[in-house]
Amino acid sequence: MDNSTVPDARDLTQHERAILDLLLSGDFPGAADLRAQAEHVQVVATCGCGCGSYDVAVTEAGVARADLPNGPILQELSAIDADGTFYGSVIMLAHGGLLSYLDYHTWDDRTLTGLPPIEHLSVLRR
């Protein structure tokens, strides 16, 4: 796996936005502030391996920071195939109370090529 990042300053795609919205849905610590931030994020880099993971930057200077420790937020998405096989997770990291990195990883030996289909994702509260 290539752990490098590739600069990629752009708006989120519709698919990336749908996944982020699902990831930030529900009620968990910091959710309201993170959802407000999500309205003002841009992709700034993508993972060099092609997995679909990406760094974000909050583009609105005055947006409220979530009162959260650095690291994963308290909700994640489980990736489950149509046959019911759990194969991965999507998590969002926050740093300094701001959205910072969406990470997609698998638990089996499949090759990652972009983010999983939205219909494979379900919310898991930690």
Side-chain angles (χ1 to χ4, degrees):
M1 179 191 324
D2 180 358
N3 290 325
S4 64
T5 58
V6 178
D8 188 18
R10 60 177 174 78
D11 291 333
L12 274 67
T13 66
Q14 287 182 324
H15 185 60
E16 290 166 339
R17 172 64 59 191
I19 289 173
L20 181 58
D21 289 347
L22 181 59
L23 188 56
L24 299 177
S25 66
D27 184 26
F28 59 92
D33 289 331
L34 296 173
R35 282 192 292 273
Q37 292 173 24
E39 296 302 315
H40 306 283
V41 295
Q42 266 196 321
V43 171
V44 294
T46 55
C47 183
C49 80
C51 67
S53 299
Y54 55 86
D55 290 299
V56 296
V58 177
T59 60
E60 178 66 36
V63 71
R65 291 174 182 259
D67 185 18
L68 297 170
N70 292 338
I73 66 170
L74 296 177
Q75 188 161 279
E76 67 183 81
L77 302 176
S78 296
I80 303 167
D81 274 340
D83 67 1
T85 302
F86 170 74
Y87 66 90
S89 295
V90 177
I91 63 172
M92 174 57 77
L93 302 169
H95 185 78
L98 297 173
L99 296 169
S100 64
Y101 184 71
L102 183 131
D103 180 62
Y104 169 46
H105 50 275
T106 63
W107 303 113
D108 59 17
D109 60 357
R110 71 184 69 208
T111 301
L112 297 177
T113 54
L115 295 169
I118 194 81
E119 61 270 11
H120 284 196
L121 299 173
S122 60
V123 175
L124 175 65
R125 175 87 189 270
R126 295 194 270 146

